[in-house]
Every structure is written in C-alpha cells, then in structure tokens.
Amino acid sequence: MATGRPLPRRAALPAALLLLAVLGGSGCGTGGGGGARPGAAGAHDPLFPRLGNGGYDVAHYGLTLDYEPEGNRLGATAVITARATQHLSAFNLDLKGLTVRGVRVDGEPARFERKGTELTVEPAEPVAKHRTFKTTVVYDGRPQPVKDADGSTEGWVETDHGAVGLGQPTGSMAWFPGNHHPSDKAAYDIAITVPKGFTAVANGELKDTRDKGPEDDRRTTFSWHSGEPVASHVASVAVGEFRVTTSRTRGGLPVYVAAHPKESEAAAKVAALIPEVLEWQSGLFGPYPFSSTGAVVDRNPYVGYELETQPKPYFHGAPTDKLVVHELTHQWFGNSLTPATWRDMWLSEGFAQYSEWMWEEKRGGRSVRQIFDDYYDGKDPESRGEDGESIWDFPPADPRADTVSDLPVYGRGAMVLHKLREKVGDRAFFALVRDWAQRYRHQNVSTQRFVEFCKDAADVGDVFDVWLYGKGKPAVRR
C-alpha cells in the first residue's frame, strides 16, 4: 500500500479572498454574519495534520467525470452535499492540481482561492450551523500521480490501457475535491464517461450504462452508486479495456470482476475464490458489511501494491490467494470499520495480516502459532525488509507519516491480535471480534476505543502494554 508525507502547513486564511467570476457569474458579497468563521484547513490528523478540513461533514459526493485516456484529459463536476458543524463564513476542500472553473454554494456563485492543495470557498452568505448545503465545483485538466515518501505512487496513475485513481493516504485529491480525511465518510454516486471500448469501474454497484454521441465518436457513461459510507482514500475509478464478468455468491451477493485483457485467467481464479473467502470470513467476523463485492485485476507496472478499494479491491497484477484474503478482510477492517486517524492504521492492517495467517493454516500450511514464532525469530521474510527494516522498529500504534505502511503496522499488528487470542481463548476472541465488527459497522474507530472495548469484554492482562505500545522486541510469553 502507498505511504505518504504530511502536507505543508498552510498560511492563515487571508482577510480578502480573490474575487473570481464563476460559472459565468460575477463575484458576490462577502456575506458577513455574527459568529461566522472559516472552517479549519486541516483535520488535525497526528500524521497528516493538513489533510482533510474542519467545519462540516460530507454526506454525499456526486461526481460526473468525462475522461479521455488519449492525452489524459479529465473534465468534471463535483456536487458535495455536507452539513455545517459550525457557522461557516468559508470552508476548504482538498484538491491537488487541476483547474477550477467555477464554484457555487446552494446554486449561488462563490468566491474561491487556490493555494497548494487547498481550495478555499467563501459562499455569498455564511452557512448556518447544522444546515445542509451543496457545493458544486467545475474543474478540468490532466490529473497527476502523487509520489509518497517511500517512493510509491498513488493519486491518478496512467496505465498502458487507461488509468486508475488510488487514494491511500492522500491521493484522492488528485482527481476530485473533498474532505479527504478517513474520519469523514460519505455515500457516492460516480458517473464516468469514456470512449467506446473502454470500461469505467467505481465504488458500489453499476446502476446504468449508456452510449451517446455519433457512431464514429461514441462514448459510454458508466453510473455507479455506493449507498454505504466510503472513506475517500478507498474511493476509486479505474478506466481500461477491461473484460468484465459478473456472478453471485451462494447467498446472492453480486460479484463484479473487471480484468486487463491479458489477465483473464487470473480474473477467473479471483472470481471463483471470492465467494469461498467471504463465506469463511463471515464465519469469523460476522456478516459481510456491503451490498456487493468483486475486484479489479489490472496490469499496472507503475503501482507496486494492492488496495482495498470499496467494495472491489484493486490488484495491480494477478494476485495470490493470500492477497485476495488480505484485501477482502479490509472490507470489514478498514472500510466498514475505518481508522479514525492514520495513526490507527494497524487496526486495519493487523486484522488483514492476521487473516492471511489464518488462511494459511486453513489451507494446510503453517499453524498460526508457527507463523507467529517465525515472525518473532525473523524467519518469515515478511518480518524483515530488504533494507534492514524490522517489525520491531516501532510500536504498531505509533507510526510516522513515512512509516504508516511499514512492517510493524502489518506484522506486529497481527502479533498483537494473536497474543490477545492466546490470552482470552478462541471462543472469547472471535466473539469479541464479531461484536467489534458489528457494533462499529460503517463507523470510525480508534486504537484507544479498541483497547477499551477489549478490556471491557475480557481480562487482557498486559497484552496491549507489551505488544501494542511496547518499544523493541518483547519477551515471548507463552
């Protein structure tokens, strides 16, 4: 998965925003009001303090995208429905690159200013606290990839047959404006128009496909709907000359798999594996939290990781069984239960990695205990990195911005869960996990909340003190 670095600190909001004509209208008055103030330009995340924004909660994104792969041109309109959490004189959206052509708030032209990755909007009149309002942003340009501190690539990534939008942890701002912090989840409707012969895949379920234009310039619009809340870092669009297969699980869950033309064999294996994995995982974690599933199996040499794009994971190439297990686990832990901050990342990756261990045992490989011991002794290749990194480099609950996807978050996160399981016993552990997944379904969760939840349910001893928060390699306690 991609990692990133904190965004640069932005200067204070200027007293007078730049007057710009928008959507054919002229600038309007400042709309001053008693008690109104700008929303914060940042959600105060401990790792990415400038990511996200304050003063409002988004309920819905309506994205209308027109994409031309030849030349990587995007024309778009974003309609963002939000509820003000304070009396707003202005508010910010995260957007990297692209050209904003106009902004309206509740249909009225609004002033706006660009600075770095901040799009600051000043409505004609302040937005009252608790009021629901709609912001329409018209924009276009050539969306760009985002390079993370570890050298990985996210954002908008061109492929040899299209492009993909990937957003962990900061890349979604490369293709649509929004409140791009995991704590502000929302429903999505995404309509993508592409040249005939291309397929556009996005979150949720495909509701409509329509052709338009003359035969020699035919274009197709794919309309996708996600009614369950989505964190923007797992929102995604993939455009390509995909081959699509659809099916259903034994329980009737729709399965949609889009694959690169040269990955048809891998796609067939993924489509056959998904129902088996979800049935097994539902027995461990409780009911599957979304109304559909699937995958995108691409050939993308520019991205070296998979991502749990909701509810259809993105695979940059033909995945192993364990990778499919990992990304589907994230539909519970990461997508339904989303980390409250990026420091809580281990709550997603620890469960996904531990699920891999349990799958290996289920398929006749090493026992979970043996895998734990191999990690502890450094015998498992995933317990150490090529450049000397180790699962003991830092506690899993205390990463930096440039280590948020490093080995301790994954491997030692899984070790925390196994030590918890050993302490409370299998029956109590899986009952706790199912209750955790159900109680906080489609919500944000923190490390502190998880620790308190476990302590309320069972005697956990010093498991968290030693394995989650402790520095260095702890003594094994059998």
Side-chain angles (χ1 to χ4, degrees):
M1 290 187 182
T3 59
R5 55 176 177 267
L7 297 174
R9 186 167 294 276
R10 184 183 182 278
L13 185 70
L17 294 171
L18 183 64
L19 289 174
L20 293 170
V22 295
L23 299 176
S26 58
C28 52
T30 59
R37 65 187 191 280
H44 308 296
D45 187 271
L47 303 188
F48 301 93
R50 308 306 291 176
L51 189 64
N53 300 285
Y56 63 94
D57 288 324
V58 178
H60 181 267
Y61 289 96
L63 305 179
T64 302
L65 313 175
D66 192 304
Y67 183 62
E68 179 56 62
E70 184 69 30
N72 188 37
R73 294 290 310 184
L74 177 68
T77 300
V79 180
I80 304 164
T81 304
R83 178 177 176 272
T85 58
Q86 68 177 62
H87 195 31
L88 283 171
S89 61
F91 57 91
N92 282 31
L93 298 167
D94 301 317
L95 182 64
K96 180 179 176 63
L98 302 171
T99 300
V100 176
R101 300 297 180 181
V103 180
R104 288 179 179 268
V105 176
D106 287 336
E108 295 298 322
R111 298 172 176 178
F112 64 91
E113 180 195 43
R114 299 293 302 278
K115 187 170 185 180
T117 58
E118 298 288 346
L119 168 61
T120 303
V121 178
E122 184 182 9
E125 298 292 338
V127 179
K129 185 177 181 179
H130 303 312
R131 190 167 73 79
T132 296
F133 63 102
K134 287 188 177 183
T135 303
T136 301
V137 182
V138 178
Y139 60 102
D140 58 41
R142 291 183 171 89
Q144 299 299 313
V146 175
K147 280 290 185 181
D148 293 328
D150 64 356
S152 58
T153 302
E154 55 165 325
W156 189 266
V157 184
E158 291 185 83
T159 66
D160 63 354
H161 68 126
V164 60
L166 300 172
Q168 188 166 304
T170 66
S172 294
M173 67 174 72
W175 57 282
F176 72 98
N179 194 14
H180 291 306
H181 188 267
S183 62
D184 195 1
K185 300 163 72 168
Y188 280 74
D189 281 281
I190 305 178
I192 318 105
T193 300
V194 291
K196 186 177 180 180
F198 286 82
T199 297
V201 184
N203 304 88
E205 294 78 51
L206 181 63
K207 294 301 183 181
D208 187 54
T209 303
R210 294 189 181 184
D211 292 333
K212 62 181 181 181
E215 187 63 33
D216 60 350
D217 190 26
R218 184 66 55 87
R219 297 178 71 78
T220 306
T221 299
F222 297 82
S223 298
W224 293 84
H225 171 74
S226 183
E228 298 104 350
V230 180
S232 67
H233 69 275
V234 290
S236 180
V237 165
V239 175
E241 297 170 308
F242 295 123
R243 302 294 180 264
V244 174
T245 60
T246 60
S247 60
R248 288 184 180 269
T249 66
R250 189 163 58 181
L253 189 72
V255 181
Y256 182 104
V257 177
H260 187 283
K262 295 183 179 179
E263 294 293 355
S264 57
E265 183 178 348
K269 290 180 180 178
V270 170
L273 183 61
I274 285 174
E276 178 187 357
V277 172
L278 290 185
E279 184 175 2
W280 172 69
Q281 291 177 330
S282 295
L284 297 175
F285 310 139
Y288 179 71
F290 300 109
S291 52
S292 65
T293 186
V296 175
V297 183
D298 209 346
R299 272 197 177 184
N300 187 346
Y302 311 107
V303 172
Y305 57 90
E306 330 302 330
L307 191 62
E308 60 269 23
T309 47
Q310 180 182 316
K312 299 178 289 296
Y314 178 83
F315 299 99
H316 79 285
T320 64
D321 287 9
K322 288 205 301 183
L323 281 175
V324 174
V325 168
H326 185 107
E327 302 306 336
L328 289 178
T329 303
H330 277 312
Q331 305 309 309
W332 281 268
F333 308 105
N335 293 0
S336 178
L337 277 68
T338 302
T341 74
W342 283 107
R343 184 170 284 166
D344 302 306
M345 180 77 154
W346 82 275
L347 284 171
S348 300
E349 300 302 344
F351 272 104
Q353 194 80 2
Y354 195 56
S355 193
E356 287 189 42
W357 295 6
M358 292 188 288
W359 180 260
E360 182 176 337
E361 181 179 72
K362 170 181 163 48
R363 299 299 281 250
R366 294 173 295 171
S367 68
V368 171
R369 179 69 219 194
Q370 184 60 58
I371 299 171
F372 178 97
D373 289 342
D374 288 348
Y375 267 68
Y376 183 84
D377 295 333
K379 295 178 180 178
D380 192 294
E382 293 187 20
S383 68
R384 61 190 188 280
E386 295 180 357
D387 297 324
E389 311 98 289
S390 163
I391 57 173
W392 312 116
D393 286 347
F394 57 86
D398 192 27
R400 303 188 311 267
D402 61 347
T403 62
V404 71
S405 291
D406 279 12
L407 295 175
V409 175
Y410 288 68
R412 191 169 166 188
M415 296 177 86
V416 171
L417 297 175
H418 187 67
K419 295 307 290 186
L420 177 64
R421 178 181 174 183
E422 286 189 331
K423 176 63 180 176
V424 304
D426 279 13
R427 184 174 181 177
F429 174 77
F430 287 107
L432 183 152
V433 168
R434 287 190 291 271
D435 191 16
W436 171 248
Q438 185 61 32
R439 185 174 301 185
Y440 295 104
R441 181 183 176 99
H442 300 315
Q443 298 182 45
N444 290 93
V445 292
S446 67
T447 298
Q448 181 181 355
R449 179 170 291 180
F450 180 70
V451 170
E452 292 173 351
F453 181 87
C454 294
K455 288 182 176 179
D456 287 343
D459 176 12
V460 301
D462 61 357
V463 166
F464 294 119
D465 292 336
V466 174
W467 292 93
L468 180 60
Y469 296 115
K471 296 181 179 180
K473 185 175 181 179
V476 175
R477 303 190 179 193
R478 296 185 183 274

